[in-house]
Amino acid sequence: QVQLVESGGGLVQPGGSLRLSCAVSGRIESFNTMGWHRQAPGKERELVAYIHWNGVTNHSDSVKGRFTISRDNAQNTMYLQMNSLKPDDTAVYYCYYSYGGKAYWGQGTQVTVSS
C-alpha cells in the first residue's frame, strides 16, 4: 500500500503563487510516475502534470509556462510550483502515485484563486 498526503493549498489572489507538496509513504517502487490532477466544481477531473522517476515531466497546455512539477526522490516528496495563478485554476488538486498499472491518490487540497 502507498499513502499520499497533499499540503500547501489555500486562498490566493490572481497573479499570485502557491506551492503544493505531496508526501508519499509506504511500499514505494523505484520506477514510478507521480503527478497532479485537479477538479473544479461542475467539471471533470483533468491532468495537470506528471513526472517520471527519472525526472522527465509533462505539463498540460493550460498550465504550461506557469506551473512546474518536481520531485525529491530521497524525501519521497513531489511538488507543484504554481505561478501566475488565475481564477480558472480554482479546484481541488489531487496527487497520485502510479506503478505497475496501479494508482494511489491523495485526499486532495483546495486551491482558490480569487480577489
Side-chain angles (χ1 to χ4, degrees):
Q1 280 284 40
V2 176
Q3 296 80 40
L4 299 92
V5 178
E6 301 103 332
S7 60
L11 173 64
V12 63
Q13 293 187 342
S17 298
L18 280 176
R19 188 193 196 201
L20 304 183
S21 298
C22 177
V24 186
S25 61
R27 183 173 179 174
I28 301 170
E29 302 289 345
S30 297
F31 305 107
N32 61 70
T33 296
M34 298 182 64
W36 295 92
H37 280 63
R38 67 185 180 185
Q39 188 165 20
K43 295 186 178 181
E44 294 186 354
R45 189 176 293 196
E46 63 171 350
L47 174 68
V48 176
Y50 62 81
I51 182 168
H52 294 306
W53 64 273
N54 57 2
V56 175
T57 64
N58 185 65
H59 298 76
S60 69
D61 288 343
S62 61
V63 306
K64 199 169 293 183
R66 300 187 299 121
F67 292 10
T68 303
I69 191 171
S70 62
R71 62 190 290 170
D72 183 339
N73 290 335
Q75 299 294 325
N76 293 323
T77 303
M78 176 180 61
Y79 305 97
L80 186 67
Q81 178 66 44
M82 305 186 294
N83 299 329
S84 301
L85 282 160
K86 306 174 182 178
D88 284 349
D89 296 317
T90 295
V92 178
Y93 284 70
Y94 299 89
C95 68
Y96 74 88
Y97 162 99
S98 67
Y99 176 83
K102 292 185 178 180
Y104 301 86
W105 294 85
Q107 81 287 352
T109 185
Q110 177 70 46
V111 172
T112 302
V113 184
S114 174
S115 55

